Amino acid sequence: MTITQQDELDGLKEIGRIVANTLQAMARAMEPGMTTRELDEIGRACLDRAGAVSAPQAVYDFPGTTCISVNEEIAHGIPGPRRIAAGDLVNIDVSASKNGLFADTGASFRVGPVSPRIDRLCRDGRRAMEVGIAKVASNRPLAGIGNAIGRFAEARGYTLVRNLASHGVGRSLHEYPEEIATWPTRSDRRRIDRGLVLTVEPFLSTGAQQAIEGGDGWTLYGDPVAPVVQYEHTVVATDRGAIVVTLPG
């Protein structure tokens, strides 16, 4: 989606705020002993109250309102009977629509005390996203996002999962540009249009380089096996930089 009118930006900010508030509510409620299904129900109630519709359910018939991935699961985890335990690394991804507009956000969370290595990975995962967002502006190269994230990751000894990309969003959950690398690439010559709506969502790891599908047809796992974090915002490109629309409020 390319925004051309103020009412489009206002609508995008509304659904962005809804998914951000939902993510925040789920993170606050998460505790050891809770099942991922119970956590998902909190997300469902938040979206329902706000008049929003779960995008994974509506678009892909996903068996949950949100995606919740624990430890070895890195994306598209199905909410279910798995119990969250102290020391777990939990990724929550919330995407939804309202009045024909979509927004997408996500973050990884530590449950209770974790190792300093995982603490650092989480802090750097959020920073990697911010590094990418800083490269979003009108007429800049799309590849600049992944190139900047790649430099950041390499300097700190991390790998990036290279088959889970950022994407265009707005009128649908995934739209042009269909794939935006969050790793270094030389082949992409596309530029960022003014008003372009996109996600920035690097998957930073201590060793994984690919995502592979598990037996349920949805859940993705890191390969090689290693901790992975993902942080995601939906942003709008302007001449002055990126407007982040997935902020709580």
Side-chain angles (χ1 to χ4, degrees), residues 98-130:
K98 185 175 183 179
N99 298 326
L101 294 173
F102 289 74
D104 194 356
T105 191
S108 297
F109 300 94
R110 294 87 97 193
V111 182
V114 296
S115 70
R117 182 179 181 226
I118 298 301
D119 259 335
R120 177 176 177 265
L121 177 62
C122 289
R123 289 194 301 270
D124 285 342
R126 185 175 294 279
R127 181 63 185 141
M129 175 191 66
E130 293 167 349

Side-chain angles (χ1 to χ4, degrees), residues 11-12 14-16 18-19 22 46-48 50-59 65 94-104 169-173:
L12 197 65
E14 180 184 10
I15 185 59
I18 289 168
V19 296
T22 300
C46 289
L47 294 181
D48 285 350
V53 176
S54 162
Q57 281 185 329
V59 177
T65 300
V94 183
S95 56
S97 66
K98 185 175 183 179
N99 298 326
L101 294 173
F102 289 74
D104 194 356
V169 65
R171 293 292 181 189
S172 59
L173 181 58

Side-chain angles (χ1 to χ4, degrees), residues 68-193:
I68 304 174
S69 308
V70 183
N71 292 338
E72 74 281 359
E73 304 166 344
I74 66 169
H76 305 166
I78 300 172
R82 181 170 185 166
R83 292 195 180 276
I84 295 168
D88 279 351
L89 181 62
V90 181
N91 179 269
I92 302 172
D93 195 301
V94 183
S95 56
S97 66
K98 185 175 183 179
N99 298 326
L101 294 173
F102 289 74
D104 194 356
T105 191
S108 297
F109 300 94
R110 294 87 97 193
V111 182
V114 296
S115 70
R117 182 179 181 226
I118 298 301
D119 259 335
R120 177 176 177 265
L121 177 62
C122 289
R123 289 194 301 270
D124 285 342
R126 185 175 294 279
R127 181 63 185 141
M129 175 191 66
E130 293 167 349
V131 165
I133 290 173
K135 295 299 179 181
V136 175
S138 306
N139 204 37
R140 286 188 181 176
L142 267 175
I145 297 169
N147 290 337
I149 293 170
R151 288 191 297 271
F152 175 86
E154 183 178 11
R156 285 157 181 78
Y158 295 112
T159 57
L160 292 159
V161 174
R162 293 179 178 237
N163 61 337
L164 290 175
S166 298
H167 54 90
V169 65
R171 293 292 181 189
S172 59
L173 181 58
H174 295 94
E175 59 181 63
Y176 176 85
E178 295 293 342
E179 181 178 285
I180 303 166
T182 51
W183 55 89
T185 178
R186 296 180 179 179
S187 59
D188 192 348
R189 296 289 183 263
R190 296 173 297 176
R191 302 195 76 81
I192 300 172
D193 295 329

